[in-house]
Amino acid sequence: MVKIHDISIRDKLVLMLVFTSVLVLIVFLMVFIFTDVESYKQRKANSLVGLAHVIGTNSISTIQFQDNDAATQILSELQNVAPEIVHAAIMDRTGKLFALYSKPGADGLTIPDGLKVNKYLFTDKELYVSQQIFDNNVIVGTVFLESDLSELRDIIRTKYELAVPLFFVAIIFSFIVALVVQRYISNRLL
């Protein structure tokens, strides 16, 4: 077993430079991936909140006239506009289901307990959005949306697939730079 004090100054300098470079690279890659994912989540949540607001605005008259078919038709258009939507529901002011859209092949709609009105909630695989429907400052109902986050999982996988080769290239590059730089330092020490 090689002891640390038996390693030459030249090799210690190379190892120190490579270790420092790798540590800095890991921190920057993790920050880059984390901020990119958080930015995507915020954009996605804002987009779905806006979509829920539009659905709510377009559904005011259908709720007032108790036209379930028209409300269901509005929700069914989500298949063309936002294919990532798994479930969409319009509830009346009492919380009773008024209209429902489910993507073909999707399980039943479940609204998580942590979802507050006018908020969004991320889980491992879904994004849930809730938006109240107002008519003249009076709540007439609520829109709920459930979106699949497979696009986010694809983005994360792509980032890691890009980060791993870059990481190895950076290690090789830092090793080459360390070999060059250590000559100037170790020659003077020796």
Side-chain angles (χ1 to χ4, degrees):
M1 184 168 145
V2 178
K3 295 183 182 177
I4 204 98
H5 67 280
D6 292 338
I7 300 175
S8 69
I9 290 175
R10 176 184 163 273
D11 292 340
K12 285 180 185 175
L13 288 171
V14 169
L15 289 175
M16 182 180 66
L17 290 170
V18 170
F19 177 75
T20 304
S21 299
V22 166
L23 189 63
V24 168
L25 180 65
I26 288 172
V27 168
F28 275 99
L29 283 175
M30 296 311 291
V31 167
F32 170 71
I33 291 171
F34 177 77
T35 56
D36 203 32
V37 166
E38 289 304 310
S39 173
Y40 171 83
K41 285 174 138 181
Q42 190 61 51
R43 284 190 317 272
K44 188 70 169 177
N46 291 342
S47 172
L48 284 186
V49 166
L51 181 62
H53 181 72
V54 169
I55 291 170
T57 302
N58 291 336
S59 301
I60 293 172
S61 61
T62 62
I63 293 172
Q64 290 173 339
F65 293 111
Q66 294 295 306
D67 190 355
N68 296 65
D69 293 334
T72 303
Q73 181 62 33
I74 291 170
L75 293 180
S76 67
E77 290 299 319
L78 288 171
Q79 187 173 8
N80 301 325
V81 176
E84 71 275 8
I85 300 292
V86 178
H87 295 289
I90 299 174
M91 307 289 196
D92 63 13
R93 74 176 64 135
T94 64
K96 181 181 167 194
L97 184 64
F98 183 72
L100 176 68
Y101 161 77
S102 291
K103 189 175 189 175
D107 296 337
L109 171 68
T110 55
I111 300 171
D113 295 333
L115 187 62
K116 303 284 188 219
V117 176
N118 294 332
K119 296 285 182 180
Y120 55 87
L121 175 71
F122 283 95
T123 63
D124 290 338
K125 297 181 179 182
E126 293 92 15
L127 166 60
Y128 295 93
V129 172
S130 170
Q131 179 72 38
Q132 289 183 331
I133 304 170
F134 290 97
D135 182 32
N136 295 326
N137 295 327
V138 175
I139 298 173
V140 294
T142 307
V143 175
F144 290 103
L145 299 177
E146 176 187 345
S147 175
D148 180 38
L149 292 178
S150 60
E151 184 180 6
L152 176 62
R153 290 189 297 276
D154 291 342
I155 289 171
I156 292 171
R157 187 181 65 248
T158 302
K159 297 289 181 197
Y160 282 117
E161 287 173 355
L162 180 64
V164 170
L166 285 176
F167 179 74
F168 286 113
V169 167
I171 288 175
I172 292 168
F173 183 71
S174 66
F175 186 74
I176 292 169
V177 169
L179 283 174
V180 171
V181 169
Q182 67 76 29
R183 286 186 188 146
Y184 297 107
I185 299 171
S186 62
N187 284 344
R188 296 190 63 99
L189 289 175
L190 291 174

